[in-house]
Structure formats: structure tokens, C-alpha cells
Amino acid sequence: MEENGGDGALAAASLAKWKSDFSRVFQYYLDRSAPHTAERWLGTLVAASIYFLRVYYVQGFYVISYGLGIYVLNLLIGFLSPKVDPELEALDGASLPTKDSDEFKPFVRRLPEFKFWYSITKAFVVAFGLTFFSMLDVPVFWPILLCYWIFLFVLTMKRQILHMIKYKYVPFDMGKTVSMISLGIKRLS
């Protein structure tokens, strides 16, 4: 009996060591991929294409695709939102500038680009894995799900864009803004 318990403990220890080694190697490659934004997003596009081809090929798993779409929409909102919401934290002083005379504060995302990319990639990989379980292929009329998702997307983006306009922030870095005066161009009256 003791030998059996010893084998179990040995197996658990070797499994824990393998998990630790795998986690370390995975984190190493994840860290090395951080500066390669275009390549990372290209890989995610490939993963998404493989997923969509799988769904198209099996003609099913529309509920999983709908759940994936809702999750990606949620991530997109986090990516486009400021870390400090001016509506909720207006009294704090750590809010975005709302007037031209306010001090410039850089836009800090609630969900950084790397975490946004990593979460979307994981979502497509998990959704792809779920397509191999036939019990998850719930029969549903997919055009209704698509129309409902488009409806949610439009309403959510409308609200987000109105929030961006109200608090005058742009979640994308377009480079340094240059005024016409600093370029030496005179305004024609």
C-alpha cells in the first residue's frame, strides 16, 4: 500500500513539475511576442479563420459562435474604454480632460492591447475546441442570432461613441498632432 501511495505522490510531483516547466516556457514565448503586434494579430486572424472554416464546414455550433461574439464585443468595449471612467470618477481629479484648457492626460485603456489580443486569441482557441463536442451543437436558427448580435453591436458602439464624443477622447494613437501654425501654414481668410 505504501508503494502505491508513493507512486501516486511521484506522479503528482512529476505532473506539477511538467506543469511548472510548461507554464514557464509558455510565458517566455508570450513575453517574446509582446513587441510583435502585427504578427500577433495575424496569428489571431489565422486562428479566427480556422474557427470560422470549422463552423462553416460542420454547419453548426452557432450558439458557441454567438457566445464568442458577445465575449469579443465585451472585450472590445473594455479596449475602447478609458481606465478611469469620467462619468463615475469626475470628483476624483483623475479623469480625462473635458475642456481645451484642462491639462492633457494620456488615454489609458481599461483593457490594454496585449491583454485584448491574448483574450481574443484564447477565446477563438477555446471555441474551436468546443466545436469537437457534439453535445454543444444546439440546433438553432442562426440568422436570428446574427441579427440579435448585430443589434447589440450597433447599440453598444453607439453608446461607446457618444461617450467618446462627450468626454473628448480617442482610444487610438494617431501619432503626434501638429497644428497648422507650427507647420508654418497661414490660414486664408
Side-chain angles (χ1 to χ4, degrees):
M1 281 194 178
E2 289 180 17
E3 290 178 13
N4 228 0
D7 289 342
L10 183 63
S14 66
L15 182 64
K17 182 182 179 338
W18 179 83
K19 182 181 174 188
S20 173
D21 290 344
F22 177 79
S23 176
R24 190 176 309 113
V25 169
F26 182 76
Q27 189 63 46
Y28 171 77
Y29 285 110
L30 196 60
D31 291 343
R32 289 200 41 154
S33 72
H36 306 287
T37 307
E39 291 84 356
R40 284 189 285 115
W41 282 103
L42 187 62
T44 300
L45 183 64
V46 168
S49 300
I50 291 171
Y51 171 75
F52 288 126
L53 284 173
R54 167 89 176 138
V55 169
Y56 178 76
Y57 175 71
V58 297
Q59 293 292 309
F61 299 99
Y62 301 120
V63 173
I64 291 175
S65 298
Y66 177 72
L68 176 65
I70 294 295
Y71 181 68
V72 169
L73 180 60
N74 185 30
L75 290 174
L76 181 64
I77 293 303
F79 180 69
L80 295 176
S81 299
K83 187 173 187 176
V84 178
D85 191 357
E87 285 181 345
L88 302 176
E89 313 239 351
L91 303 174
D92 246 3
S95 62
L96 293 170
T98 56
K99 301 175 195 157
D100 289 338
S101 62
D102 285 352
E103 179 185 345
F104 171 75
K105 294 176 184 154
F107 181 80
V108 179
R109 299 178 190 285
R110 186 168 16 134
L111 181 65
E113 184 272 334
F114 187 80
K115 288 183 180 180
F116 178 58
W117 163 79
Y118 185 59
S119 298
I120 284 181
T121 305
K122 278 194 311 188
F124 275 109
V125 170
V126 168
F128 180 75
L130 291 176
T131 62
F132 290 99
F133 297 98
S134 61
M135 69 180 125
L136 298 175
D137 188 10
V138 179
V140 64
F141 187 60
W142 66 267
I144 290 176
L145 287 179
L146 181 63
C147 290
Y148 187 58
W149 185 85
I150 290 171
F151 177 72
L152 283 175
F153 179 79
V154 168
L155 284 180
T156 306
M157 285 296 109
K158 177 184 173 191
R159 193 187 91 227
Q160 187 66 31
I161 291 170
L162 289 174
H163 189 269
M164 290 163 60
I165 291 170
K166 180 179 179 181
Y167 292 101
K168 299 177 184 167
Y169 67 89
V170 179
F172 304 106
D173 185 16
M174 307 291 184
K176 184 178 177 182
T177 57
V178 180
S179 70
M180 298 300 271
I181 295 170
S182 65
L183 289 175
I185 301 173
K186 294 182 180 179
R187 186 174 163 198
L188 298 173
S189 298

